[in-house]
Structures are given as C-alpha cells and as structure tokens.
Amino acid sequence: MYKIMTAGPTQVRENVRMARSLPCTNPDLDPAFFDYYKETCQLLSEALHTKNRALILGGEGILGLEAACASLTEPGDRVLVIDNGIFGKGFADFVKIYGGQPVMYTSDYRNPVNLEEIKAFLANDHDFKYATVVHCDTPSGVINDVPAISRLLDSYGIMTVADSVAGIFGEPLDVANSKIDILCGGSQKALSAPPGLTMLWVSDRAFEAMADRKTPIASFYANILIFRDYYEKQEFPYTMPISDITGLRTALDNFMKEEETIYERHGRVAAAARKALTAGGLKLYLESGYSNTVTVLEVPEGVTDKQILEGMEKDYNIMISGCFDVLAGKVVRIGHMGENAYPEKVAETLAALQGTLEKLGIAVSCNMEDVFNGALA
Ligand SMILES: *Cc1c(COP(=O)(O)O)cnc(C)c1O
C-alpha cells in the first residue's frame, strides 16, 4: 500500500478504522441510531460553530454538490456560478441538469475571486436565486473569501451554496459570520475519514426555499428536504451507512479534541512546504490565495507529471496527485490536509519529490526537506 499524500482522500487514523468495525444495529428501525445520527449532526454544527443544521448523506462529496443544486434549482432559475477553478466551473453542470440557467462569473484561476470585481458585476446583474462558490478549489489549491462573498450575495438576497469539501476541518471558515445557505463537506478530506459520506450544513432560509418551491425536487436521492423532519418522523429516506457514520463520528471526535491546534498546524506545514518548494526552484501554480490543505506546483519543463508520480510511487512508495481538466498534465499536488498535515509526513514527501526530480535530471537548488524543517523550527 502506498502512503497517500494526495489531495484527498487522506490517510485514516487507526481509531477511525476500528470504529467502522463496531457491531451494527438496524439504522432504519433502531431509535438509538436516530439519536446517534442526530447527536453526530449536532456535533458537526458545533465543530464549525454554526447554528445551521448539519446532515450526513450516504454518498461521496459530489453528492452534496448535486443535492444542493437539485434541492434549490427550479426550471428556469438563474444561478450565478462563480468560476475561478475546476470545481467552481463544474457547478454549472449540476445547475443545468436540474433545469436551471447557469450564468458564469469567470475569473483568473491563479488568484482568489476579487471582491471589488464581483461587487461591480453584481451591481449590474443580481437577479439570481442562488450562487455557487468553492472555498478551496483543490485542482489549483486556491482559497476564496467565502464569508465576504456570501455576505455580498446576501445583500442582494442571493443565497449561497459553498463547496468546502477540501477546506473545512483544515482551513478555517467562519460560518457564523457568513451567509452560507448550504455548505458542502466530504468525509475523506481534512476530516480524514474514508470516502463515502457527504456533510451538509443547511440554513433555515434554504429549507424554506425548498419547501416553497412551485415544482417538486427532481430527485429522490439528492433531495435535502426529505431529511428535514427525519427525527420527528423517525424515518430516513434510505438506509443509512451506519459503519461509515461511526467512522465519521470518531474522526469528528478526534478533530474536536485537537481543534485548538489543528488550523495552526495546517497553516505552519503549508507555509513551510511552499517555502521549501520555492527555495528548491520549483514554481507554485498560484500567484496568491494559497490553501493550507493542498499545495500545487507546476510540472517542471523536461519532465511529465506521470514521470514524477511514478517515480515517487516506485522509489518511495508515496502517492501524490496529478490533475485533470484544464490542469491535466500541468501540475502535481501534495495534499497536506487532516491526517496528512504532520511535519514528518510532508518532510518525507518533499525528500521523495527531490529524489525523484533529481533522478529525472531536474536540478533542485536546495535540500527541500532541510528548508522545510528549518521553516517549522
Ligand atoms: C474532493 C472534492 C469534492 C468531492 O469530490 P469526490 O469526487 O466526491 O471526492 C468536491 N469539491 C472539491 C473542491 C473537492 O476537493
């Protein structure tokens, strides 16, 4: 097995893996499971310091993005799709599938969304039911100021759907001072549970918008509204993946015990990684807005992404990520979120990257592991 230092999924701690092997009750019928699910959702709200209601859906992070669009979009609705990255752009597909009319707001992929520019755009056109925005757009690693963007949208009565699948639990997000109507998270990123679950934090306003629709939600599995009264009714729309949820709960307990230090550790590790890579003469993809959960570097001239990934796997047993869509072949990515965001793991990854590049004939102008460790000290 490779050590995975990818941009999610991450490594999974032993107590999370063990929790997934606990005995299973019938999650459709046992009232104790409804209590456990509800308590876990309440802890998810507490972990992000928000009163918005959390829900756990049985399906990978992408399900949350689709469920948000399925539940809010009615045929003909204009939806603003904020696109400064590949996941940002991808929301347009979900809007279209459910009959909405996506309006793209596209800006430079190497920098965060510029607030003044989007302000000027909205001054001219603000007839949108909701907007979509990505907190950490993982293919480039860019971080957007979602709190400020959501407040700006709210000033026009536009709801916000925010994808922080690769942000939350590693990158701070002030949900309480934001106007995020549906926030999307996934089990396998900074929370470091295995893949399989979506987490959503839903505002009262979003539930009201779903309840006030003129047309029914055109999905069953991606219908958020069905979950609203699950506890009162003691009924889930489908059988909950109980073992995934016990694993997630343990990962959440781990997070809450260490919350004080987690964001700071992500920040330190990420800053040191950027410093080491830059000192080594490598070029970061972004110009600004670097996330603390993933670092994205351009593939140096003279080698391919495949050669780098294969070299690291074969010689060092470490797996990092390439990329896809418009960044396919152009960048490689080191994930340092959740369980991966420890100095030893990132140091080992940088040493392996250096060895791999040098073997491929690319000069690295410092010892990146030493610079990394020095930056942490
Ligand atoms: C990982 C990720 C998702 C979810 O994608 P999956 O294929 O379900 O893992 C959504 N948005 C972002 C920004 C992500 O990084």
Side-chain angles (χ1 to χ4, degrees):
M1 281 248 298
Y2 296 118
K3 280 189 191 164
I4 55 167
M5 291 298 291
T6 44
T10 66
Q11 299 175 25
V12 177
R13 205 183 282 189
E14 188 182 18
N15 69 345
V16 175
R17 288 184 271 122
M18 297 304 283
R20 290 164 53 84
S21 62
L22 291 170
C24 297
T25 183
N26 182 328
D28 283 328
L29 302 177
D30 188 344
F33 180 77
F34 284 83
D35 289 339
Y36 179 80
Y37 177 96
K38 186 179 177 199
E39 196 181 274
T40 306
C41 290
Q42 284 167 343
L43 284 175
L44 282 170
S45 295
E46 248 176 66
L48 296 190
H49 308 285
T50 170
K51 293 197 172 67
N52 286 358
R53 264 185 70 185
L55 293 169
I56 304 164
L57 272 51
E60 238 307 293
I62 284 292
L63 171 62
L65 279 50
E66 176 160 357
C69 295
S71 301
L72 290 180
T73 313
E74 292 198 67
D77 280 344
R78 291 181 89 231
V79 177
L80 183 65
V81 174
I82 299 175
D83 159 32
N84 70 322
I86 293 168
F87 278 98
K89 176 180 66 168
F91 264 110
D93 296 334
F94 296 125
V95 171
K96 266 186 247 161
I97 290 170
Y98 293 96
Q101 191 190 327
V103 175
M104 304 305 287
Y105 174 84
T106 299
S107 68
D108 176 16
Y109 276 27
R110 290 182 193 261
N111 291 287
V113 170
N114 181 297
L115 277 174
E116 292 310 313
E117 286 171 14
I118 195 166
K119 210 179 255 178
F121 173 89
L122 284 167
N124 277 325
D125 187 0
H126 43 257
D127 177 23
F128 302 105
K129 180 170 188 186
Y130 70 95
T132 62
V133 61
V134 179
H135 182 211
C136 169
D137 208 306
T138 335
S140 67
V142 74
I143 282 282
N144 287 314
D145 186 351
V146 168
I149 293 169
S150 68
R151 290 193 299 265
L152 175 64
L153 291 163
D154 178 61
S155 71
Y156 289 103
I158 303 167
M159 292 188 289
T160 297
V161 169
D163 168 357
S164 187
V165 174
I168 43 169
F169 300 109
E171 182 75 47
L173 178 61
D174 187 357
V175 185
N177 290 307
S178 302
K179 287 284 181 183
I180 305 172
D181 291 282
I182 302 183
L183 174 66
C184 307
S187 54
Q188 85 285 21
K189 300 283 168 78
L191 195 53
S192 289
L197 295 175
T198 279
M199 297 164 280
L200 296 175
W201 289 258
V202 184
S203 73
D204 291 340
R205 175 165 74 169
F207 275 124
E208 280 158 27
M210 294 176 219
D212 289 348
R213 291 171 58 114
K214 294 182 201 74
T215 55
I217 293 172
S219 173
F220 182 79
Y221 206 75
N223 181 333
I224 298 171
L225 189 60
I226 320 187
F227 274 86
R228 187 174 58 176
D229 305 317
Y230 77 88
Y231 190 77
E232 291 71 20
K233 293 183 180 158
Q234 295 280 294
E235 189 179 306
F236 289 114
Y238 47 84
T239 305
M240 285 289 118
I242 178 168
S243 300
D244 288 348
I245 293 172
T246 51
L248 179 93
R249 172 64 174 269
T250 302
L252 183 59
D253 291 341
N254 289 342
F255 172 85
M256 291 182 85
K257 273 186 209 133
E258 296 159 26
E259 189 190 345
E260 315 273 289
T261 59
I262 281 182
Y263 296 119
E264 185 265 341
R265 174 162 52 78
H266 278 78
R268 261 186 331 127
V269 164
R274 292 193 292 269
K275 188 168 178 194
L277 290 161
T278 318
L282 298 167
K283 191 169 177 299
L284 301 178
Y285 175 74
L286 291 175
E287 290 166 1
S288 66
Y290 307 97
S291 116
N292 291 331
T293 52
V294 59
T295 293
V296 180
L297 55 136
E298 294 189 356
V299 174
E301 216 153 301
V303 290
T304 65
D305 57 336
K306 257 211 177 93
Q307 286 175 306
I308 298 173
L309 303 187
E310 280 174 10
M312 291 188 66
E313 287 166 15
K314 277 211 189 87
D315 295 340
Y316 301 92
N317 202 42
I318 293 177
M319 181 180 266
I320 61 170
S321 301
C323 210
F324 51 95
D325 200 277
V326 294
L327 290 178
K330 298 197 170 130
V331 298
V332 294
R333 302 180 289 158
I334 299 172
H336 36 74
M337 57 180 86
E339 282 298 293
N340 292 7
Y342 285 96
E344 320 77 70
K345 293 180 183 176
V346 178
E348 187 188 7
T349 306
L350 291 171
L353 177 64
Q354 176 145 10
T356 303
L357 289 173
E358 286 171 349
K359 192 171 165 184
L360 290 168
I362 303 290
V364 178
S365 45
C366 69
N367 180 313
M368 294 197 291
E369 186 178 5
D370 287 347
V371 174
F372 175 80
N373 287 327
L376 286 173

